[in-house]
Amino acid sequence: MRLQTALRQGSEILASAGIPEPRLTAEVLLCHALRRERAWLYAHPEHELTTVEWIHYGRYLHERLQGRPVQYITRKQEFYGREFEVTPAVLIPRPETEHVVEQALKAARGARRVLDICTGSGNLAVTLALELGAAAVGTDISFAALEVARRNARRHGARVEWVQCDLASGLSGRFDLIVSNPPYIPLEEIARLQREVRDYEPRLALEGGPGGAAFYPRIVREAERLLAPGGWLIVEIGYQGEQAARCAFGPAWTDAATEYDLAGWPRVVRARFAP
Ligand SMILES: C[S@@+](CC[C@H](N)C(=O)[O-])C[C@H]1O[C@@H](n2cnc3c(N)ncnc32)[C@H](O)[C@@H]1O
């Protein structure tokens, strides 16, 4: 079968199953099957798929039709201009989380020691280590997630130490900047999530307890133990999470502020430690 035909048929199958962005999805899956970039597809519409390429493409289409997110099929996702490996052990990094990076670069340009609590694929720890030229530590309770994070740091040449622990319980020392994108989906909303998220992304990465607020007070307590005076804590929040996150900061904090994402939702809360 010719590439052009494979793409058309793949898009039609995906569209009829109600998969969003069927043409783009078919292109990405075909690229993955061919181990080629998208530009190559456009330059070779007459390419005849080999049997192996066809089998791979068919399998990827089938997986997507079952609900598996594209990123878990291709095992990659871009974040802040870099490609990160993702596996089902980690949350797929979201573009909204780039707001955490932007706030960190604005508030804490001079940070030399950075901690990322709940690191997942390591997207925040690796990005901040590279953008700030800092030494970073990333923690996660999941050993499988840390294995992915470790590979991402190696791939990008970032200086990050990985620690498996509950939040930051295994750590001591002083940090200039702490970031976290903790699980924050309210327990009561988990069942109503899109199937791509609910059935494929790790529950451990999603569920933030009743109201989605369970992690913030604990993260603030850890930050009070580990931040140098004047250091920043920057956390991502869900669309309903602003109040819970802001309430977690007590009198030892100053300059608390909420930043909004491009859709206008509160997305990031930051505050400076002033004991
Ligand atoms: C929302 S994901 C964030 C992943 C990544 N930082 C990102 O921005 O895409 C939350 C991560 O927290 C981890 N996690 C959940 N409970 C934890 C805990 N008690 N201590 C440390 N990490 C935890 C999960 O394994 C998951 O990797």
Side-chain angles (χ1 to χ4, degrees):
M1 181 186 287
R2 279 193 320 182
L3 185 153
Q4 225 172 11
T5 315
L7 259 186
R8 200 193 58 248
Q9 289 189 357
S11 316
E12 284 170 5
I13 294 167
L14 293 167
S16 62
I19 302 288
E21 302 185 286
R23 172 75 191 194
L24 175 64
T25 303
E27 287 182 7
V28 171
L29 296 180
L30 189 55
C31 286
H32 190 52
L34 270 55
R35 305 292 186 260
R36 300 278 188 183
E37 299 296 322
R38 267 171 82 203
W40 192 91
L41 295 192
Y42 298 129
H44 300 85
E46 307 299 325
H47 171 75
E48 285 287 337
L49 266 65
T50 65
T51 309
V52 172
E53 287 168 346
W54 176 238
I55 289 170
H56 283 312
Y57 182 50
R59 196 181 79 225
Y60 302 151
L61 284 171
H62 176 72
E63 287 178 2
R64 184 65 194 95
L65 289 167
Q66 299 294 303
R68 183 182 288 268
V70 169
Q71 293 91 336
Y72 287 151
I73 300 172
T74 61
R75 295 175 74 95
K76 59 189 178 191
Q77 170 64 33
E78 194 187 300
F79 182 80
Y80 211 77
R82 295 182 182 88
E83 192 175 280
F84 283 79
E85 176 188 339
V86 294
T87 74
V90 300
L91 188 90
I92 298 164
R94 306 295 204 269
E96 297 82 49
T97 303
E98 294 182 352
H99 289 286
V100 174
V101 176
E102 276 158 17
Q103 289 305 309
L105 296 183
K106 235 190 248 173
R109 258 275 160 220
R112 295 270 83 24
R113 295 252 308 149
V114 177
L115 170 60
D116 173 22
I117 299 175
C118 297
T119 199
S121 64
N123 52 320
L124 283 173
V126 168
T127 302
L128 289 171
L130 294 172
E131 296 294 324
L132 293 168
V137 175
T139 72
D140 206 288
I141 204 159
S142 157
F143 180 76
L146 288 174
E147 287 292 289
V148 177
R150 199 184 306 280
R151 288 197 292 274
N152 279 321
R154 202 175 304 137
R155 169 183 191 169
H156 291 298
R159 266 191 303 156
V160 189
E161 184 192 333
W162 306 106
V163 180
Q164 184 185 13
C165 60
D166 181 13
L167 297 184
S169 60
L171 302 184
S172 56
R174 278 278 173 269
F175 294 89
D176 309 308
L177 167 67
I178 299 181
V179 295
S180 184
N181 176 17
Y184 59 64
I185 308 288
L187 174 63
E188 47 291 359
E189 286 184 17
I190 293 279
R192 294 199 298 274
L193 289 173
Q194 269 180 295
R195 70 171 172 163
E196 278 80 355
V197 179
R198 186 194 57 223
D199 297 348
Y200 288 90
E201 299 207 68
R203 173 86 179 226
L204 198 54
L206 300 173
E207 200 223 291
F215 282 83
Y216 299 106
R218 296 183 58 212
I219 289 171
V220 169
R221 275 202 302 279
E222 290 291 44
E224 290 175 351
R225 188 171 66 78
L226 293 168
L227 264 182
W232 286 89
L233 172 59
I234 302 178
V235 293
E236 180 167 327
I237 56 172
Y239 72 101
Q240 294 175 317
E242 183 181 12
Q243 208 195 353
R246 293 283 293 252
C247 285
F249 291 90
W253 297 86
T254 178
D255 299 327
T258 303
E259 296 297 328
Y260 295 78
D261 64 21
L262 299 176
W265 294 109
R267 180 58 63 186
V268 174
V269 167
R270 63 161 201 266
R272 200 153 58 90
F273 187 43

